[in-house]
């Protein structure tokens, strides 16, 4: 159990001191990425936690991280889906409802080196009609749960002198759309949280970044396409072109594996200086 007492201000009193100036937190001036096998298994010996990992982007991230040697904690409310992915990647399935703070705080995360905050949900309605309980639920899952996970995992990363935080944000973490107040608010909040962690974690060898995809080919998005095609009486291809991809210059859905590859790169040996950033994968949506 963690102590409930906290210092009134300043750095946690039980956090390790920053490494001396000019010395990498992992033990020397040139070693910044932790154990890396010559065969490209750059995360061998590391433990990664991925939320919402039973399908879609989370599943792709779990596969990518496991392919680099990480042991992956596959966290999802879907117990069967989490078990399937855990079997696929040789990881550990963890069933948890991230809308329940007690379940989030009960996660065994002390040994986690890589955190991928991915779990999310959507609700579409005008602000004046948006159900407050639904708004609160989205904030708990998409902003409060990442905060709770990070406050538990960061001390271990600091002590080991290495860590990677990748927050699956969205183009909606950088741009707003009507009728998505809760989702946009949560993603903007996640962007801010990610930047604070980047600043606090830098002396300890911990990086924190956001990946900002546009519309990704997931079961949720494909369901939205089918629903809108029926509602508007138009083919699914027109829904893509005229609705979902209207603001994207690249007129196709992003594949989950593309997001997983970006997440893995942020955890790899060439991204040690990449921190506090937001990486758009939006087909040039934000270039406009």
């Amino acid at each position: 159990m963690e102590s409930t007492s906290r210092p009134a201000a300043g750095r946690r009193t039980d956090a390790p001191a920053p490494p001396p100036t000019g010395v990498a937190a992992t033990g020397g001036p040139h070693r910044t990425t932790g154990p890396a096998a010559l065969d490209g298994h750059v995360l061998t010996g590391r433990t990664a936690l991925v939320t919402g990992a039973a399908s879609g982007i989370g599943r792709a991230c779990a596969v990518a991280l496991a392919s680099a040697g990480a042991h992956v904690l596959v966290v999802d409310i879907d117990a069967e889906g989490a078990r399937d992915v855990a079997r696929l990647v040789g990881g550990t399935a963890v069933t948890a409802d991230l809308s329940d703070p007690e379940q989030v705080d009960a996660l065994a995360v002390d040994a986690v080196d890589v955190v991928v905050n991915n779990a999310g949900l959507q609700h579409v309605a005008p602000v004046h009609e948006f159900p407050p309980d639904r708004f609160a639920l989205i904030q708990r899952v998409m902003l409060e749960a990442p905060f709770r996970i990070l406050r538990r995992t960061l001390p271990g990363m600091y002590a080991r002198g290495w860590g990677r935080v990748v927050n699956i944000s969205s183009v909606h973490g950088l741009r707003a759309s009507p009728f998505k107040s809760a989702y946009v608010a949560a993603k903007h909040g996640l962007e801010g949280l990610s930047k604070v962690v980047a600043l606090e974690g830098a002396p300890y060898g911990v990086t924190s970044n956001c990946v900002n995809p546009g519309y990704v080919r997931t079961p949720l998005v494909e369901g939205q396409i089918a629903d809108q095609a029926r509602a508007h009486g138009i083919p699914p291809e027109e829904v893509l072109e005229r609705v979902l991809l209207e603001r994207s210059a690249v007129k196709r859905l992003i594949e989950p594996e593309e997001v997983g590859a970006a997440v893995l790169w942020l955890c790899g040996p060439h991204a040690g200086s990449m921190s506090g950033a937001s990486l758009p994968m939006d087909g040039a949506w934000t270039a406009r």
Side-chain angles (χ1 to χ4, degrees):
M1 293 277 296
E2 284 188 322
S3 169
T4 56
S5 62
R6 290 289 183 271
R11 183 171 61 85
R12 281 179 54 124
T13 56
D14 58 343
T21 301
V23 178
T26 47
H30 303 298
R31 184 170 180 236
T32 59
T33 57
L38 294 177
D39 61 1
H41 285 182
V42 295
L43 296 178
T44 297
R46 303 295 190 190
T47 298
L49 178 149
V50 183
T51 66
S55 64
I57 292 173
R59 181 185 186 277
C61 291
V63 170
L65 295 169
S67 73
H71 180 82
V72 181
L73 305 182
V74 180
V75 181
D76 206 289
I77 194 172
D78 176 2
E80 183 177 355
R83 286 193 295 268
D84 289 344
V85 174
R87 281 193 293 266
L88 174 68
V89 303
T92 301
V94 180
T95 305
D97 179 356
L98 299 186
S99 70
D100 182 349
E102 291 186 1
Q103 292 191 40
V104 178
D105 289 345
L107 295 172
V109 296
D110 293 342
V112 168
D113 304 291
V114 175
V115 171
V116 180
N117 287 308
N118 165 72
L121 64 157
Q122 180 64 280
H123 186 88
V124 178
V127 171
H128 65 283
E129 297 176 0
F130 211 101
D133 57 343
R134 193 69 176 173
F135 188 97
L137 171 67
I138 290 173
Q139 306 314 305
R140 287 200 304 274
V141 172
M142 295 171 55
L143 184 55
E144 183 178 343
F147 160 74
R148 288 179 175 274
I149 289 169
L150 290 173
R151 71 179 294 273
R152 294 273 313 286
T153 53
L154 285 173
M157 294 182 192
Y158 292 170
R160 292 185 293 275
W162 191 93
R164 295 291 180 264
V165 176
V166 184
N167 299 298
I168 305 301
S169 181
S170 165
V171 66
H172 284 111
L174 305 173
R175 297 288 188 273
S177 288
F179 313 121
K180 297 181 179 179
S181 57
Y183 189 88
V184 170
K187 291 302 189 184
H188 274 67
L190 187 63
E191 294 278 331
L193 176 63
S194 184
K195 289 177 171 61
V196 170
V197 172
L199 295 173
E200 294 182 4
Y204 306 102
V206 175
T207 66
S208 175
N209 294 285
C210 288
V211 177
N212 300 74
Y215 287 102
V216 180
R217 191 185 306 279
T218 63
L220 178 63
V221 168
E222 290 183 328
Q224 290 178 4
I225 293 171
D227 289 344
Q228 295 214 27
R230 285 192 296 269
H232 297 289
I234 59 176
E237 297 77 18
E238 285 193 46
V239 173
L240 272 176
E241 183 79 19
R242 291 167 47 187
V243 183
L244 269 64
L245 302 179
E246 178 186 6
R247 286 169 286 188
S248 297
V250 179
K251 299 296 185 183
R252 68 170 179 84
L253 292 176
I254 302 157
E255 300 300 331
E257 292 75 17
E258 295 177 82
V259 183
V263 169
L264 177 56
W265 181 79
L266 287 170
C267 297
H270 302 295
S273 297
M274 186 87 164
S275 196
S278 300
L279 183 63
M281 300 183 67
D282 60 7
W285 181 335
T286 52
R288 297 181 184 276

